[in-house]
Amino acid sequence: MKGISFCIHQGEILGLIGESGSGKSVASQSITRLIDDAIMAGEVLFNHLDHHVNLLTIDNDQLTQIRKREISYIFQEPMTALNPLLTCGKQILECAEVKSTDYLNELLLKVELTDTDRVSKSYPHELSGGQ
C-alpha cells in the first residue's frame, strides 16, 4: 500500500477495506510501530494529554503508555488474539480502568456490537472474526 493518508477525529470510526494481502493490517499496525520500518516517511499525529505527539518519533516508554491506555488492537483471529477460556466481556474489562457492565456495554456499542449481553457472555470461538 503506498501513499495512504487519513485523519480520524475523536469519536470517529474508520474502516480499511481491501483484498487479502492489500496492506490493511500493515497500515493499521504501523501506526503504533507494531511493525517496524513499515512507514518510510510522514508522521502519525496523536492527541495525547492535550497535545499532538508523533507516534513514529516518540520514545518507546511513552508509546507503551499510549498503547496501554489509549490505542488498542484486537487482532482478527480470535483463537490467537483472545484467551479461549475467558468470556469476551471479561477480557475487554481486564484492561479497562472502569470495570462495570455499563462501561462494557458502552464500549461494545461504540464498535456497533449492539447485542451487548450476548457478545459480553460469549467466548471468542462463539463470535465471528469480524466481531
Side-chain angles (χ1 to χ4, degrees):
M1 189 176 286
K2 291 184 179 182
I4 187 170
S5 175
F6 48 84
C7 181
I8 308 168
H9 296 280
Q10 185 172 342
E12 292 181 338
I13 298 171
L14 172 74
L16 293 177
I17 300 170
E19 295 179 14
S20 179
S22 66
K24 301 177 301 293
S25 294
V26 170
S28 64
Q29 292 174 31
S30 296
I31 290 170
T32 57
R33 297 189 338 230
L34 290 176
I35 298 176
D36 290 332
D37 302 323
I39 297 178
M40 306 305 285
E43 57 188 2
V44 177
L45 298 178
F46 182 75
N47 189 15
H48 175 65
L49 302 176
D50 293 326
H51 68 281
H52 287 95
V53 296
N54 185 347
L55 296 180
L56 302 182
T57 59
I58 61 172
D59 64 67
N60 285 331
D61 290 337
Q62 190 175 11
L63 181 61
T64 298
Q65 290 306 311
I66 289 171
R67 284 183 188 151
K68 284 183 178 180
R69 302 197 185 282
E70 300 179 66
I71 298 176
S72 297
Y73 291 94
I74 297 177
F75 297 97
Q76 188 169 346
E77 179 49 55
M79 297 313 288
T80 59
L82 298 171
N83 184 332
L85 302 177
L86 300 175
T87 64
C88 293
K90 182 173 178 76
Q91 292 183 70
I92 292 167
L93 286 179
E94 275 182 346
C95 59
E97 291 183 15
V98 178
K99 301 196 186 307
S100 73
T101 303
D102 289 340
Y103 184 64
L104 174 61
N105 290 342
E106 180 184 327
L107 292 174
L108 292 172
L109 289 171
K110 280 185 178 183
V111 295
E112 299 184 13
L113 292 173
T114 56
D115 191 357
T116 58
D117 189 53
R118 183 186 68 80
V119 171
S120 65
K121 291 178 181 175
S122 294
Y123 290 87
H125 67 275
E126 297 176 315
L127 300 175
S128 72
Q131 291 178 310

